[in-house]
């Protein structure tokens, strides 16, 4: 049974971090308690910003001994509420922002050792200084932290080529729920010496421990990247185009993103400077990055047009045009806001099932909410759709949101019927904690519960979040 900290315990916790790790002004604590979309507002008796892994360990030990819940927080860009301390529970909030050193970069080994509070952009920049690439990339990269990325097993736009965050990790340093520090910072590509413990903490959303540092994989940088924005006649063509492009370019596809027509219309209507790159409207578009030699992209486009997979295309003439094409994709969530409230899904299915899934969801959603406006887009190269919906024109926003669970049920049931997942890259957090029970077998939930109990028997780590 967890309890709220008493005044003496709060003093002990404050003494661990000292003045540099405290945020005494409640107004400065506020931003840590609101998540990006303002969907969850948290509450905490104390925000701590430890400056070393040893301080993190000391905080956790006190909370363990006193049975106090704690919530790790990275850049606070998570979209399922996992980083927000629940109101009324007296949970300590631990921000990793001061653990922000790059400890080592090794271009020969192709590895970088970064503390959990380094922003993703800082890790990318440190890699780039030694002419290497850290390929994890997402729109929140200036703010999100590597500890948060690993704890959510973040995806982003390069999963197709490099895998999820989980696939980019060689070693981890973790404070376990009893306050011990596990130094698993090995830079080994091969290490078959028992259970691979790091995978327990990756994607665990802070429910099994606090990641304090990681050894990450680096790759050669791409010398030449070509960006293509193409209209495709159907989703079937989009999926075939992916296979075609990978084949025609000897697997040089770095990113393969889907944009629906409604999403493009919202972006061109609301985002300053964004225009439709093609003269004729199309139901679907693909934004694709190729790490191909010069000329290969043109050849691939010509071949795809001949095969009927592309109706029309723009090949970016340089970095500026490439950036403006990517802006169309990255502005979609922002451009939805002026159209009213939205209900969002982060789902995945095997790539070949995307056309069937989209067709079924597009048919079913208006039966739940007539007039609903579907805005599907996403990382279609890895079967991940952000299947968003904007409220019908003229409908009350709150009344629309109140129907959210009915819509989730329909979308998630259809997704699972196609062999998919109800959370492709954002995690479970608070948002999907109840719902996920419907889709996981009792065997799977039982195994997860056993792991949680073995590692965190008191249950102090991010209580009430994740699957168990
Ligand atoms: P937070 O939000 O602070 O925390 C997320 C979870 O991790 C919480 O459960 C928290 O308790 C836990 N946690 C944080 N740090 C630690 C730690 N050191 N140890 C243990 N647990 C910890 N996500 C994608 O996967 N792909 C995308 O393309 C993508 N695009 C995005 C675009 C925008 C504009 C925004 C706002 C978000 C996007 N996200 C995306 C979601 C979000 O950026 C990712 O989930 C990111 O990995 C979260 O990192 P963070 O540092 O902000 O973590």
């Amino acid at each position: 049974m967890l309890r709220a900290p008493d005044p003496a315990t709060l003093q002990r916790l404050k003494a661990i971090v000292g003045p540099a790790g405290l945020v005494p002004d409640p107004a400065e604590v506020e931003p840590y308690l609101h998540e990006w979309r303002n969907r969850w507002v948290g509450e905490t008796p104390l925000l701590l910003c430890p400056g070393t892994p040893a301080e993190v360990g000391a905080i956790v030990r006190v909370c363990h001994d006193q049975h106090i819940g704690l919530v790790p927080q990275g850049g606070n860009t998570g979209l399922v509420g996992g980083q927000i301390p629940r109101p009324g529970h007296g949970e300590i909030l631990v921000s990793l922002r001061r653990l922000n050193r790059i400890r080592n970069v090794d271009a020969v080994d192709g590895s970088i050792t970064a503390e959990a509070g380094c922003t993703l952009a800082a890790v990318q920049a440190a890699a780039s200084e030694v002419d290497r690439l850290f390929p994890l990339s997402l729109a929140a990269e200036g703010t999100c932290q590597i500890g948060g990325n690993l704890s959510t097993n973040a995806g982003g736009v390069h999963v197709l080529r490099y895998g999820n965050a989980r696939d980019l990790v060689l070693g981890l340093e973790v404070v376990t729920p009893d306050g011990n520090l596990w130094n698993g910072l090995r830079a080994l590509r091969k290490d078959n010496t028992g259970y691979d413990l790091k995978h327990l903490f990756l994607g665990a959303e802070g429910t099994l421990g606090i990641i304090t540092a990681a050894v990450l994989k680096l790759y050669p940088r791409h010398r030449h990247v070509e960006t293509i924005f193409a209209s495709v006649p159907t989703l079937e063509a989009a999926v075939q185009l992916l296979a075609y492009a990978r084949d025609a370019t000897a697997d040089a596809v770095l990113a393969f993103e889907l944009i629906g027509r409604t999403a493009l219309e919202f972006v061109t209507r609301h985002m300053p400077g964004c225009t439709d790159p093609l003269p004729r409207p199309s139901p679907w578009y693909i934004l694709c990055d190729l790490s191909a030699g010069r000329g290969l992209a043109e050849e691939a486009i010509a071949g795809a047009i001949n095969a009927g997979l592309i109706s029309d295309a723009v090949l970016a003439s340089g970095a500026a045009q490439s950036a403006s094409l990517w802006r169309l994709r990255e502005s979609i969530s922002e451009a939805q806001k002026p159209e009213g409230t939205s209900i969002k899904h982060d789902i995945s299915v095997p790539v070949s099932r995307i056309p069937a899934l989209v067709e079924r969801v597009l048919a079913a959603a208006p039966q739940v909410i007539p007039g609903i406006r579907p805005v599907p887009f996403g990382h279609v190269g890895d079967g991940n759709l952000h299947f968003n919906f904007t409220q019908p024109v003229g409908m009350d926003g709150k009344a629309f949101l109140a129907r959210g669970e009915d819509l989730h049920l329909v979308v998630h049931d259809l997704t699972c019927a196609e062999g998919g997942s109800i959370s492709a890259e954002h995690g479970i957090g608070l948002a999907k904690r109840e719902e996920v029970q419907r889709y996981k077998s009792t065997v799977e939930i039982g195994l997860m519960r056993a792991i949680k109990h073995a590692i965190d028997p008191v249950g102090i780590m991010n209580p009430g979040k994740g699957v168990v």
Side-chain angles (χ1 to χ4, degrees):
M1 187 68 176
L2 298 179
R3 52 178 174 250
D6 57 29
T9 306
L10 289 176
Q11 282 313 321
R12 277 177 72 195
L13 290 167
K14 286 180 186 174
I16 291 169
V17 297
L22 295 173
V23 185
D25 181 354
E28 284 179 34
V29 177
E30 269 305 293
Y32 295 81
L33 300 174
H34 292 254
E35 56 81 58
W36 198 71
R37 294 194 288 218
N38 236 355
R39 218 175 130 191
W40 293 277
V41 181
E43 207 176 273
T44 185
L46 186 61
L47 165 64
L48 295 172
C49 308
T52 63
E55 286 182 10
V56 177
I59 293 167
V60 176
R61 199 164 305 116
V62 170
C63 290
H64 173 265
D65 294 348
Q66 299 289 322
H67 291 207
I68 296 162
L70 47 82
V71 179
Q73 189 177 96
N76 192 11
T77 67
L79 297 173
V80 290
Q83 71 280 20
I84 300 296
R86 299 166 304 161
H89 288 267
E91 293 160 358
I92 304 294
L93 183 58
V94 180
S95 165
L96 278 301
R97 69 172 167 79
R98 288 179 64 227
L99 257 69
N100 61 358
R101 287 182 314 131
I102 301 288
R103 293 192 195 161
N104 185 44
V105 191
D106 192 322
V108 175
D109 280 347
S111 68
I112 181 167
T113 307
E115 291 188 342
C118 293
T119 61
L120 173 53
V123 175
Q124 293 166 343
S128 159
E129 273 172 30
V130 295
D131 199 26
R132 291 289 180 271
L133 171 78
F134 182 60
L136 187 66
S137 175
L138 41 118
E141 62 200 20
T143 311
C144 62
Q145 299 174 4
I146 202 69
N149 298 146
L150 302 187
S151 299
T152 56
N153 186 27
V157 295
H158 292 150
V159 174
L160 178 61
R161 179 68 167 269
Y162 298 99
N164 295 292
R166 177 188 297 285
D167 303 301
L168 302 173
V169 181
L170 292 171
L172 280 188
E173 181 185 82
V174 178
V175 170
T176 58
D178 51 10
N180 283 320
L181 186 68
W182 171 50
N183 184 341
L185 289 176
R186 303 179 192 109
L188 301 174
R189 306 274 161 169
K190 290 188 164 185
D191 178 16
N192 281 348
T193 51
Y195 300 140
D196 196 340
L197 294 177
K198 65 177 179 288
H199 283 293
L200 285 176
F201 302 98
L202 300 169
E205 301 181 75
T207 61
L208 295 179
I210 301 187
I211 296 173
T212 49
V215 187
L216 306 163
K217 292 180 194 169
L218 300 182
Y219 291 83
R221 287 216 289 168
H222 301 292
R223 302 295 157 200
H224 188 70
V225 176
E226 307 239 46
T227 301
I228 300 166
F229 183 90
S231 54
V232 289
T234 60
L235 269 180
E236 195 60 55
V239 168
Q240 283 178 28
L241 177 63
L242 171 65
Y244 176 87
R246 293 185 78 167
D247 204 36
T249 63
D251 213 3
V253 180
L254 282 181
F256 196 85
E257 299 286 306
L258 179 78
I259 304 174
R261 178 69 199 171
T262 309
L264 187 69
E265 280 174 4
F266 285 1
V267 169
T268 53
R269 190 178 305 158
H270 300 296
M271 304 308 289
C274 286
T275 51
D276 188 340
L278 295 170
R280 275 176 301 279
S282 165
W284 301 104
Y285 301 89
I286 290 294
L287 180 63
C288 172
D289 268 357
L290 292 177
S291 62
R294 277 172 218 283
L296 204 54
E298 272 174 48
E299 265 176 44
I301 293 171
I305 288 177
N306 279 340
L309 302 177
I310 286 181
S311 319
D312 200 357
V314 173
L315 175 61
S317 59
Q321 196 181 6
S322 166
S324 69
L325 292 175
W326 270 98
R327 189 154 175 262
L328 298 173
R329 161 67 183 84
E330 282 165 357
S331 309
I332 294 173
S333 291
E334 203 55 38
Q336 264 192 281
K337 289 181 186 168
E339 295 285 337
T341 54
S342 40
I343 299 173
K344 305 192 175 188
H345 305 87
D346 165 41
I347 53 178
S348 64
V349 287
V351 176
S352 62
R353 305 306 303 154
I354 283 182
L357 175 69
V358 172
E359 191 183 319
R360 294 178 75 186
V361 172
L362 290 180
Q367 295 184 19
V368 183
I369 307 173
I372 194 169
R373 290 177 290 166
V375 192
F377 65 99
H379 316 297
V380 74
D382 13 279
N384 177 194
L385 282 178
H386 295 310
F387 216 131
N388 291 359
F389 292 88
T390 293
Q391 65 174 79
V393 176
M395 185 176 183
D396 174 64
K398 282 200 178 121
F400 176 65
L401 288 182
R403 303 298 315 280
E405 283 187 14
D406 299 337
L407 189 62
H408 292 327
L409 189 66
V410 168
V411 173
H412 290 158
D413 276 359
L414 289 171
T415 302
C416 290
E418 296 291 345
S421 166
I422 67 162
S423 183
E425 59 176 12
H426 294 160
I428 299 297
L430 284 166
K432 295 180 182 167
R433 187 169 161 82
E434 265 96 57
E435 220 187 333
V436 73
Q437 312 295 326
R438 178 179 169 87
Y439 301 104
K440 290 221 176 271
S441 70
T442 46
V443 174
E444 207 169 351
I445 302 248
L447 285 169
M448 289 194 190
R449 191 163 286 133
I451 291 169
K452 170 76 176 169
H453 189 72
I455 295 180
D456 181 19
V458 187
I460 60 165
M461 288 304 315
N462 215 354
K465 312 283 178 48
V467 178
V468 293

